[in-house]
Amino acid sequence: MTLSLDTGRRIARSVHAAAHRLQLRPLTIVVLDSGGHVVVAERSDASPIGRFEIARGKAYGALALGMNSRAIMERGERQPQFVASATAALDGRVIPVPGGVLVDDASGRLVGAVGVSGDTSDNDELVAMEAITAAGLAPRGAWA
Amino acid sequence: MTLSLDTGRRIARSVHAAAHRLQLRPLTIVVLDSGGHVVVAERSDASPIGRFEIARGKAYGALALGMNSRAIMERGERQPQFVASATAALDGRVIPVPGGVLVDDASGRLVGAVGVSGDTSDNDELVAMEAITAAGLAPRGAWA
Amino acid sequence: MTLSLDTGRRIARSVHAAAHRLQLRPLTIVVLDSGGHVVVAERSDASPIGRFEIARGKAYGALALGMNSRAIMERGERQPQFVASATAALDGRVIPVPGGVLVDDASGRLVGAVGVSGDTSDNDELVAMEAITAAGLAPRGAWA
Amino acid sequence: MTLSLDTGRRIARSVHAAAHRLQLRPLTIVVLDSGGHVVVAERSDASPIGRFEIARGKAYGALALGMNSRAIMERGERQPQFVASATAALDGRVIPVPGGVLVDDASGRLVGAVGVSGDTSDNDELVAMEAITAAGLAPRGAWA
């Protein structure tokens, strides 16, 4: 396993802690390994019932296309037909809005992805990146 | 069950009564519990054969994303790719036009959703909200 | 519409009344028109969340193959591969156990089907047939 | 939410603790609310990549049909075509082997289901039941 259950739990816990600190809406977190398979998923109380699929799609799409979901969104603004068709080709598992972040280990090797859904997309992405960093890993994509 | 069959029937009956009073086109009503599962479905005579799936999608999408289908429509105007991809991730069960209304009980707890299809979307939503209120429950979202 | 909403409601009500009289487990009822489209669906309190799909499959399979679901079951005992493949060809909408009953009007014309799920299959079928008769229509298949 | 994230985490943790104590193979745990939606999912290191879907299917099938997955298995021994067709009708989300256990609260109300996969089915079910009990809830079904 490229990303351990223990690390996945730590990431999920950090996301919830950040959400609490920033007073965000209830969040759903999905942590995938580099093969796109669920390691950890957690849906906060009152997080709507479809958020697991949304969070997973943010993370899975990032892995599938090799870029954070924000970058997929930007690609979609230039080439909407590509993103729509890629989504269909990938069985609906691409959600092209921010909140899906690729995860590298200390040596720069891709080990998985985190998807967060529930607040604004920008905040979903922010807390995902914070949590990855807090777990000692490196989130793809620069951020301010 | 978060929303009883008896309550579901009352909501459906109220929708039909409102439709008759307002002289609307034939309507289809679907009442879902908070998990998104059918409690009651009723398709009026002459309501087209696909209206069940449409009404259910309005209600299910509202539950899945945590907002009335009108709000999903408005989200889609800002982020069309998000709504399209969320629909794919949720197996086609999101219809982003007005007519899907979340239902809360007296204490503000989410208990289900109502989806109406058949007249204009605005009227679909109007009668859904009226019917929810008539059943002693609270529809999400302000309305005139 | 081959089977009116009013008739569909009467059938559903009769099923529930029979279930109460016979002290059956909570039932789910689906009434389809001759095209296989939902007219009425009702899921009793405490009826499990998958029963809508099961009841609909009993009714839809009956219409799709032109015989009550009990007859499909018996066919499946002789030719299991046929029933399995027919189910796949019909997108999973065939449930080959008793409880799906075709409905004819007084002149012998097929007008729809009723599917019941929740108690034993034999009882599901029994109450479906009783309810169809109580609504002034004719259930396919002899019964004692 | 019928089953809180906090309770879901406790159940998952108890499953892992029991697995460690009994020296079981790596396990995957999925906890669903009463509507069948993921609350918590955890896949142990070295648990194969398909175990999430298997564990979820054990839990979801139990909710959909209203009986533990062991009971679905036993039903399938009597009526194999029923279980196969129910699985198709429920989009493949039924795994008819032990390990999926319904969860009731102290007042006997259904609040969700737990699915475990990875060791023998009997052990999967055993640790699921232990964990539910340890979380202060009641697993459906007698067990030794």
Side-chain angles (χ1 to χ4, degrees):
Chain A
M1 203 128 141
T2 59
L3 194 151
S4 72
L5 172 57
D6 193 65
T7 299
R9 280 175 176 156
R10 259 191 292 156
I11 290 172
R13 207 156 301 151
S14 294
V15 168
H16 288 299
H20 187 250
R21 196 182 77 237
L22 297 168
Q23 296 189 304
L24 302 186
R25 299 173 66 84
L27 300 181
T28 292
I29 301 110
V30 176
V31 181
L32 306 179
D33 66 13
S34 62
H37 300 285
V38 172
V39 177
V40 168
E42 292 194 345
R43 181 165 62 97
S44 295
D45 300 349
S47 184
I49 59 176
R51 293 287 169 180
F52 167 74
E53 285 80 7
I54 304 298
R56 183 181 57 182
K58 290 187 184 185
Y60 192 87
L63 285 163
L65 298 181
M67 60 186 86
N68 287 353
S69 57
R70 176 183 293 278
I72 301 174
M73 176 182 74
E74 291 165 352
R75 179 80 190 266
E77 285 158 3
R78 299 191 307 274
Q79 281 185 304
Q81 290 192 334
F82 170 69
V83 171
S85 58
T87 302
L90 291 159
D91 293 322
R93 290 196 182 189
V94 177
I95 301 287
V97 298
V101 180
L102 294 175
V103 182
D104 294 325
D105 65 13
S107 58
R109 187 181 66 122
L110 177 68
V111 293
V114 174
V116 175
S117 179
D119 199 85
T120 65
S121 303
D122 286 345
N123 282 338
D124 293 340
E125 181 189 59
L126 180 73
V127 298
M129 287 184 158
E130 272 199 32
I132 293 163
T133 304
L137 294 166
R140 286 271 176 101
W143 54 293
Chain B
M1 204 126 143
T2 59
L3 194 151
S4 72
L5 173 57
D6 193 65
T7 299
R9 281 174 174 156
R10 260 191 290 157
I11 290 172
R13 209 149 297 154
S14 294
V15 169
H16 288 299
H20 187 251
R21 196 182 78 238
L22 297 168
Q23 297 189 300
L24 302 186
R25 298 174 66 83
L27 300 182
T28 291
I29 300 109
V30 176
V31 181
L32 305 180
D33 66 14
S34 63
H37 300 282
V38 172
V39 177
V40 167
E42 293 194 345
R43 181 163 64 96
S44 296
D45 300 350
S47 184
I49 60 177
R51 294 288 171 181
F52 167 73
E53 284 78 8
I54 303 298
R56 183 182 58 184
K58 290 187 184 186
Y60 191 87
L63 284 165
L65 298 180
M67 60 185 86
N68 287 353
S69 57
R70 176 183 293 277
I72 300 174
M73 176 182 76
E74 292 165 351
R75 177 85 191 262
E77 284 159 3
R78 300 191 307 272
Q79 281 184 309
Q81 291 201 331
F82 170 70
V83 171
S85 62
T87 303
L90 292 161
D91 296 320
R93 291 196 179 187
V94 178
I95 301 287
V97 297
V101 180
L102 295 175
V103 182
D104 294 325
D105 66 11
S107 59
R109 189 182 65 122
L110 177 68
V111 293
V114 174
V116 175
S117 178
D119 200 84
T120 66
S121 302
D122 286 346
N123 282 338
D124 292 340
E125 182 189 60
L126 180 74
V127 298
M129 287 185 157
E130 271 199 31
I132 293 163
T133 303
L137 295 166
R140 288 267 177 104
W143 54 293
Chain C
M1 203 127 142
T2 59
L3 195 153
S4 72
L5 173 57
D6 193 66
T7 299
R9 280 176 176 157
R10 261 191 289 155
I11 290 171
R13 209 156 301 152
S14 295
V15 169
H16 287 299
H20 187 251
R21 195 182 79 238
L22 297 168
Q23 296 189 302
L24 302 186
R25 298 172 66 83
L27 300 182
T28 292
I29 300 109
V30 176
V31 180
L32 306 179
D33 67 14
S34 62
H37 299 284
V38 172
V39 177
V40 168
E42 291 195 344
R43 181 164 62 96
S44 296
D45 300 350
S47 185
I49 58 176
R51 293 287 170 181
F52 166 75
E53 284 79 8
I54 303 298
R56 183 181 57 183
K58 289 187 184 186
Y60 192 88
L63 285 163
L65 299 179
M67 61 185 86
N68 287 353
S69 56
R70 175 183 293 279
I72 301 175
M73 176 182 75
E74 291 163 352
R75 178 81 189 265
E77 285 157 3
R78 300 191 307 272
Q79 281 185 304
Q81 290 192 333
F82 169 69
V83 172
S85 58
T87 303
L90 292 159
D91 293 323
R93 289 195 182 189
V94 177
I95 301 287
V97 298
V101 180
L102 295 174
V103 182
D104 294 325
D105 66 11
S107 59
R109 188 182 65 123
L110 177 68
V111 293
V114 174
V116 175
S117 179
D119 200 84
T120 65
S121 304
D122 287 346
N123 282 337
D124 292 340
E125 181 189 61
L126 180 73
V127 298
M129 288 185 156
E130 273 198 32
I132 292 164
T133 303
L137 295 166
R140 286 271 176 100
W143 55 292
Chain D
M1 204 126 145
T2 59
L3 196 151
S4 71
L5 172 58
D6 192 65
T7 298
R9 279 173 174 159
R10 259 191 291 157
I11 290 172
R13 209 149 296 156
S14 294
V15 169
H16 287 298
H20 187 251
R21 196 181 79 237
L22 297 168
Q23 296 189 301
L24 302 185
R25 298 175 67 81
L27 300 181
T28 291
I29 300 109
V30 175
V31 181
L32 306 179
D33 66 14
S34 64
H37 300 282
V38 171
V39 177
V40 168
E42 292 195 346
R43 180 164 63 96
S44 296
D45 300 349
S47 184
I49 59 176
R51 293 289 171 180
F52 166 73
E53 284 78 9
I54 303 299
R56 183 182 58 185
K58 290 187 185 185
Y60 192 86
L63 285 164
L65 300 180
M67 61 186 87
N68 287 352
S69 56
R70 176 183 292 278
I72 300 175
M73 176 183 75
E74 291 163 352
R75 178 85 191 264
E77 283 157 4
R78 299 191 308 272
Q79 282 184 310
Q81 290 199 329
F82 171 69
V83 172
S85 63
T87 302
L90 292 161
D91 296 321
R93 289 196 182 188
V94 178
I95 301 287
V97 298
V101 180
L102 294 175
V103 182
D104 293 326
D105 66 12
S107 59
R109 188 182 67 122
L110 177 68
V111 292
V114 174
V116 175
S117 178
D119 200 83
T120 65
S121 301
D122 286 346
N123 282 338
D124 293 339
E125 182 189 59
L126 180 72
V127 297
M129 288 185 158
E130 272 199 31
I132 292 164
T133 304
L137 295 165
R140 288 267 177 103
W143 55 293

